[in-house]
Amino acid sequence: MTIYQKLSKIQQEFKSKKSRYNSFGKYYFRSAEDILEATKPFLKELDVTVTIQEDLISFEPPVLKVTATVADGKDSLNAVAIVGVDLDQKGMQMPQRYGAASSYGKKYALGNLFLIDDTQDADATNTHGNKQTITQAAISTAQLLKAKEYVKSGGKLDAIKSKYKLTKEQEKELATLWKTKKKY
């Protein structure tokens, strides 16, 4: 099994409960810890590891680059999240501000790697009482690359279309890959 096939299996079968509660917004959400816990059954089954690396890429303002990687000893794939540190966050000490940014970055780097659609989480869609229309997120370049690998390894185009807003060109390209997936 290639690393792409292993990642595709995780992406297709991944299930993570939302064990955290936001009392202000009154909703449950999943954390980076929840996501990591949900990947553990796949680690032994597929003989892979999942790691997270954080780098401070800017000091003024402070910005973290968080990279989530899945590896099988031969090959690896990764996804990145870039997050800023809110230095004006009231009620937090400086280490807590960096910790909050770190946790947020880990969650979204893992979400990008495993194609977890954060728009389904209340913490991504909570309007805190302001009525807004929630629209489907456009697919990022990194997510599109992962979607292509997902389709090549047998994943369903409809699963991607249900999570992301695709341009006609992107949808056509993915459909072509899906039709020719047996060639890979």
Side-chain angles (χ1 to χ4, degrees), residues 67-84:
T67 305
T69 303
V70 62
D72 66 2
K74 295 179 290 186
D75 299 302
S76 65
L77 295 169
N78 61 55
V80 172
I82 306 293
V83 295

Side-chain angles (χ1 to χ4, degrees), residues 1-9 46 48 72 74-75 77 149 153:
M1 210 180 224
T2 68
I3 190 70
Y4 293 105
Q5 291 167 324
K6 292 175 182 182
L7 179 58
S8 177
K9 181 175 174 65
L46 300 173
V48 296
D72 66 2
K74 295 179 290 186
D75 299 302
L77 295 169
E149 293 305 325
S153 64

